[in-house]
Amino acid sequence: MAKQIPTPGRQRLFGRRKGHELTPRRQALVDEVLPTIRPEIDEDGRLDLKGPVAGKDQLWLEIGFGGGEHLAWQAKHNRDVTVIGAEPFINGVASLLAHVEDEQLDNVRILDDDVRPLLEALPDASLERIMVLFPDPWPKTRHKRRRIVNPLTVERFAVLLADGGELRLATDIMDYARWMMTAVWPHPDLVWTARRPGDWQDRPDDWPGTRYEAKAGKAGRTPVYLTFKRRNR
Ligand SMILES: C[S@@+](CC[C@H](N)C(=O)[O-])C[C@H]1O[C@@H](n2cnc3c(N)ncnc32)[C@H](O)[C@@H]1O
């Protein structure tokens, strides 16, 4: 059995799994295309990424991709990279599948579930980039342990990142920004790349905005963009 990340209490970290009913096209994508690109983890924790990652130079992971617009953009603009996305909300998964079909993206893999078993199954130093953009804020004190960015997952991110690999985090909730920094800053292998305020106040050019971010902007909240590099082993 794959070892589980010991998140306190084996908490469920995500909210709803399903929203409105899927259109027939999106339902068909979920039924027919998703099984062909969904990573499988067997009982011994072995991972099958479904298809050729060989030939692709890098493996990236986006956790909680929402509607998948950011992930699809990254896959489209980085054809030599395989981008894995994990997202338990099936309407978001269906939205990304529509991008995959419309834009003929053969370099996307989708886990329609909690990312944590995948974090366990991926080999050490296998990821060049991990992205966690606008994770669920869980603002109430008693819910904060549900935050996906926490010292245990950060420890795993550091193991999974290849030398020089990048951890990208974003949030519009200042309490979560402080929480992220508290979780990542002390890690000896992860180095914050910011040199001046613009480095965390401005979204980098190769980092398109997300749907959640647009909503946060309309609500008058200002995001932060945090990039960390993994030190060489
Ligand atoms: C606030 S939304 C942000 C979505 C997207 N990144 C964006 O910026 O538009 C956070 C997403 O993380 C997903 N999520 C929460 N916990 C997760 C987990 N353990 N594994 C994978 N995804 C998760 C949720 O289902 C939700 O869609």
Side-chain angles (χ1 to χ4, degrees), residues 28-198:
L29 289 170
V30 169
D31 294 340
E32 290 156 28
V33 177
L34 180 59
T36 68
I37 60 170
R38 179 200 282 131
E40 302 287 346
I41 304 168
D42 74 14
E43 284 198 343
D44 298 320
R46 275 188 303 259
L47 177 66
D48 172 6
L49 276 179
K50 295 280 173 67
V53 168
K56 304 286 180 200
D57 293 340
Q58 296 188 9
L59 198 56
W60 297 358
L61 172 66
E62 182 170 342
I63 299 173
F65 57 72
E69 298 84 7
H70 171 272
L71 193 152
W73 188 97
Q74 293 293 358
K76 185 175 175 179
H77 291 84
N78 298 282
R79 295 278 182 175
D80 54 347
V81 173
T82 297
V83 192
I84 314 173
E87 172 57 68
F89 184 53
I90 198 68
N91 301 65
V93 168
S95 163
L96 177 56
L97 285 164
H99 285 284
V100 165
E101 186 175 72
D102 292 344
E103 295 164 51
Q104 299 282 298
L105 302 172
D106 67 353
N107 55 338
V108 172
R109 301 291 181 274
I110 303 176
L111 179 69
D112 54 327
D113 212 337
D114 187 341
V115 73
R116 284 174 293 175
L118 180 64
L119 294 178
E120 292 297 336
L122 281 161
D124 295 359
S126 59
L127 298 173
E128 300 287 341
R129 190 183 288 179
I130 299 175
M131 300 161 280
V132 194
L133 310 182
F134 303 95
D136 293 320
W138 299 114
K140 291 183 185 158
T141 301
R142 70 176 187 279
H143 288 153
K144 282 185 186 171
R145 59 189 184 151
R146 293 186 170 197
R147 288 178 168 175
I148 188 76
V149 180
N150 61 60
L152 294 167
T153 48
V154 168
E155 181 56 42
R156 189 66 193 147
F157 295 163
V159 170
L160 289 175
L161 282 170
D163 292 355
E166 226 175 67
L167 172 63
R168 290 186 172 190
L169 305 176
T171 182
D172 58 310
I173 306 296
M174 284 316 105
D175 178 63
Y176 206 163
R178 279 192 294 274
W179 169 280
M180 286 171 170
M181 287 306 282
T182 306
V184 186
W185 178 266
H187 198 289
D189 298 326
L190 297 169
V191 181
W192 193 26
T193 59
R195 294 283 169 269
R196 53 188 181 83

Side-chain angles (χ1 to χ4, degrees), residues 183-223:
V184 186
W185 178 266
H187 198 289
D189 298 326
L190 297 169
V191 181
W192 193 26
T193 59
R195 294 283 169 269
R196 53 188 181 83
D199 294 340
W200 53 268
Q201 290 171 344
D202 304 331
R203 185 158 33 74
D205 293 341
D206 66 343
W207 179 337
T210 73
R211 194 187 285 186
Y212 178 90
E213 177 179 355
K215 281 190 204 158
K218 280 190 194 141
R221 294 193 298 270
T222 309

